[in-house]
Amino acid sequence: MERSRRFGDVYLAPTLWRGVGLEELCERLLPPGQERISWAKMAAVLVAARFCEPSSELHIAEDWYRRTALCDLLQLGDEEVNKDRLYRGLDHLLVHKAALEAHLSQRCGELFAIQNDVLLYDVTSTYFEGQAEANPQARRGHSRDHRPDCKQVCIALVVTFDGFPLGYEVFAANTNDSRTLQTIVATMEARHGVVGRVWITDRAMASAKNLAWLRETGRRYIIGAPKSELKKFGAELAAAAGWRTVQAGVEVKLARHPETDEIVILCRSADRRSKERAMHDRFSERIAAALERLAARIARSKKHLDPAPINRQIGRLLQRNQRAAARFAIALEPDGCPAGVRLCVTCNDAFDDWAAISEGAYLLRSNIADWNDQQLWKAYIQLTQAEAAFRIQKDQLNVRPIWHQREDRVQAHILVCFLAFVMWKSLEMWQQRAGLGNSPRTILEELARIQSHDVVLPTTTHGQIRLRCVTHPDPAQAALLDRLGLVLPKRMRIAEQAAPPLAAIA
């Protein structure tokens, strides 16, 4: 046996690529020209690599592609895939971003009966390695990846109610989240239509300007509101009547916003209450212990102390523990002791009273009058699908860090990650319907153990016979393939003897 290569996972990738219609679409968008290798095939290589083993274009060309049987499946020799051709493939693919998104919205709606009338919207960031001086969007900003030392860009992603990606846009890193909303809404509606849309997003988008714009333009929405707005509804929170249990440990109540007459969904969660109470207690204990030590140090001092450094120390203490800072009233008062001052600390009873009411509570704002409280709350909770999409792209598809320095290459890198996520989500829905859970990585790792080999048979009269064979799946793999409805080929044609690409699998 010779030429052993990974087969199972790279067989699944082109299957998904064709299944969601991307092979046919790319062949139409990237028709053959004067190039020797079709750009549609290079796009398939880029996305398959991101789906199976996320890595750089250099790694794809020099290592990954040569270890897989993708060359046999695509009828594209190892020597035809190099980093320069992959980079140019990125450039050709990026031009068709809008067409790709529009196609995927329609095609995946047909495959999985996905409805895109309720859209979930969220923003994340991803950072660069290098200075990215050729990219005007690369800026410093709030880093969700805890890498404030690196430049970054913001990615605004829209997914359906089921978490299927519908589209995205890239913004400069110093763009406030709220300033992206109107651009995203207008862009997505231009591509996918306007009628019946419901937009769901978190409190980072809940600026007065955005809410006014959504109302004035007749768009329906459910948006999380800043916690500071809870104070406007203190009476409703404190009242025992009107609450309805929508899930174990979660209660909601509807009210009207006093300024805009919007529907306000007041929510309180037992788990969230326990978490916030524990946080308040922990920060309060830290502040109390630090103030006790500070008071003792002041009392022991044998010389006159300057109040300014002490006040700065108190300020830093409260800043580090700001969740409980309002609980304490702290003052340095003149005193006849050697230090000249003494520390006076009192507890603010109003803080404890409000904490007892507001711990575990949050509110949502909406202008949807024909949904009940349970429907509104459950729709907003689906926003976790957008957060899960970001986790998959970062942890499984390695959208970060970005090594490209040019703006167009960065945009193309994110597009390839988006297309790989479409395939990832398609596999997830496929395996869910087959009763195989919701972990595509487990499927890929299991199938990756299936390999292809060249079996070389020497003969006395006809030289060597070379057969390119696929290993027989073990019982677990066979059961997995059966549930997915996949049939692996037993043999493949060797590229040098190949018929046209569609006949590559014998």
Side-chain angles (χ1 to χ4, degrees):
M1 287 198 302
E2 299 177 355
R3 194 182 175 274
S4 297
R5 298 201 173 193
R6 284 172 52 173
F7 180 82
D9 56 342
V10 297
Y11 178 80
L12 182 59
T15 301
L16 291 165
W17 180 255
R18 290 190 296 270
V20 296
L22 285 172
E23 181 180 65
E24 181 182 352
L25 178 67
C26 286
E27 289 175 352
R28 188 168 69 249
L29 295 176
L30 302 167
Q34 295 183 352
E35 71 279 355
R36 192 156 57 89
I37 304 300
S38 165
W39 295 122
K41 283 191 176 183
M42 298 311 299
V45 172
L46 285 163
V47 178
R50 181 63 50 178
F51 177 73
C52 296
E53 187 180 301
S55 57
S56 67
E57 286 73 22
L58 182 62
H59 179 77
I60 294 171
E62 296 189 352
D63 182 52
W64 179 81
Y65 190 76
R66 301 170 193 277
R67 290 188 286 106
T68 73
L70 195 59
C71 61
D72 301 315
L73 297 169
L74 297 179
Q75 290 295 284
L76 191 61
D78 294 345
E79 70 283 353
E80 307 292 353
V81 176
N82 56 59
K83 63 180 179 61
D84 294 329
R85 191 165 277 144
L86 289 170
Y87 287 144
R88 291 198 296 275
L90 288 173
D91 299 336
H92 285 274
L93 188 63
L94 178 61
V95 178
H96 304 288
K97 172 180 178 293
L100 289 164
E101 289 183 7
H103 165 81
L104 290 169
S105 172
Q106 178 182 357
R107 177 60 178 159
C108 295
E110 296 168 354
L111 287 174
F112 303 109
I114 292 171
Q115 301 295 323
N116 60 6
D117 51 344
V118 177
L119 302 181
L120 313 172
Y121 171 53
D122 204 356
V123 179
T124 192
S125 61
T126 187
Y127 61 91
F128 292 85
E129 292 290 353
Q131 296 301 313
E133 294 178 352
N135 187 352
Q137 288 189 320
R139 294 283 186 271
R140 306 281 182 186
H142 170 60
S143 176
R144 282 85 166 176
D145 303 315
H146 309 291
R147 289 300 305 270
D149 57 312
C150 298
K151 290 183 179 179
Q152 62 180 24
V153 291
C154 290
I155 303 173
L157 178 67
V158 177
V159 302
T160 66
F161 194 76
D162 298 310
F164 200 90
L166 196 64
Y168 74 94
E169 292 296 327
V170 181
F171 294 91
N174 55 0
T175 305
N176 187 279
D177 288 0
S178 64
R179 295 178 60 187
T180 66
L181 179 69
Q182 296 186 27
T183 300
I184 285 292
V185 171
T187 301
M188 292 299 117
E189 289 182 346
R191 291 178 189 165
H192 309 293
V194 179
V195 178
R197 293 277 183 264
V198 175
W199 288 90
I200 302 177
T201 187
D202 66 12
R203 61 187 181 184
M205 315 295 173
S207 67
K209 183 178 178 180
N210 282 340
L211 290 168
W213 178 76
L214 290 168
R215 288 194 301 271
E216 291 166 3
T217 55
R219 291 175 169 90
R220 305 204 298 171
Y221 60 87
I222 306 172
I223 295 184
K227 188 143 187 170
S228 58
E229 289 201 18
L230 279 174
K231 290 187 178 294
K232 298 177 182 178
F233 303 92
E236 288 86 348
L237 286 171
W243 292 97
R244 177 186 177 189
T245 300
V246 294
Q247 183 176 294
V250 179
E251 297 176 308
V252 299
K253 177 196 281 192
L254 296 184
R256 286 284 178 178
H257 198 282
E259 300 167 4
T260 63
D261 201 38
E262 292 171 289
I263 295 172
V264 173
I265 307 99
L266 299 171
C267 315
R268 59 187 186 190
S269 162
D271 291 340
R272 190 165 178 163
R273 181 186 299 116
S274 299
K275 178 181 177 181
E276 292 184 5
R277 184 170 297 165
M279 293 173 68
H280 284 153
D281 291 344
R282 183 168 69 253
F283 288 126
S284 294
E285 290 170 3
R286 289 179 183 174
I287 293 173
L291 291 176
E292 185 177 347
R293 292 193 298 270
L294 178 60
R297 181 166 60 83
I298 293 173
R300 290 194 305 269
S301 177
K302 302 300 183 183
K303 62 179 182 178
H304 189 273
L305 298 177
D306 182 2
I310 300 175
N311 283 324
R312 287 195 295 269
Q313 182 179 350
I314 294 171
R316 288 192 296 270
L317 171 65
L318 297 180
Q319 176 65 28
R320 288 194 300 268
N321 303 280
Q322 55 185 304
R323 282 185 177 269
R327 189 175 193 177
F328 298 88
I330 307 168
L332 284 176
E333 296 183 352
D335 190 81
C337 65
V341 293
R342 64 185 179 89
L343 188 66
C344 296
V345 180
T346 57
C347 288
N348 184 359
D349 292 337
F351 177 90
D352 292 331
D353 294 340
W354 174 245
I357 297 173
S358 64
E359 284 173 342
Y362 56 97
L363 64 88
L364 318 174
R365 295 172 67 167
S366 178
N367 62 348
I368 304 175
D370 54 342
W371 290 12
N372 62 32
D373 50 4
Q374 187 173 28
Q375 288 174 311
L376 291 167
W377 179 81
K378 286 192 172 182
Y380 181 79
I381 291 303
Q382 284 296 108
L383 198 57
T384 55
Q385 293 285 356
E387 297 167 356
F390 288 138
R391 286 195 298 273
I392 292 169
Q393 294 213 37
K394 291 182 176 183
D395 298 339
Q396 301 294 336
L397 302 177
N398 288 8
V399 70
R400 61 179 181 184
I402 298 176
W403 295 87
H404 298 284
Q405 303 298 297
R406 283 170 33 187
E407 181 179 7
D408 58 337
R409 291 282 169 80
V410 171
Q411 295 274 358
H413 165 79
I414 296 172
L415 175 58
V416 168
C417 292
F418 174 80
L419 295 176
F421 179 61
V422 169
M423 291 168 55
W424 182 279
K425 196 65 182 180
S426 299
L427 176 57
E428 182 182 308
M429 292 183 171
W430 185 7
Q431 68 179 105
Q432 281 179 343
R433 295 187 179 190
L436 295 172
N438 58 355
S439 176
R441 182 56 65 195
T442 302
I443 300 285
L444 288 172
E445 289 175 353
E446 186 67 27
L447 294 184
R449 296 192 295 109
I450 300 174
Q451 294 189 324
S452 68
H453 307 276
D454 279 8
V455 179
V456 183
L457 304 172
T459 69
T460 57
T461 57
H462 293 84
Q464 289 184 342
I465 298 176
R466 182 177 293 268
L467 304 176
R468 190 153 292 169
C469 302
V470 178
T471 57
H472 188 73
D474 64 26
Q477 293 166 343
L480 183 63
L481 292 167
D482 182 63
R483 295 287 287 274
L484 291 174
L486 285 174
V487 179
L488 299 184
K490 294 182 179 179
R491 287 172 52 187
M492 293 183 296
R493 296 190 182 189
I494 298 175
E496 292 76 10
Q497 305 170 352
L502 290 179
I505 299 176

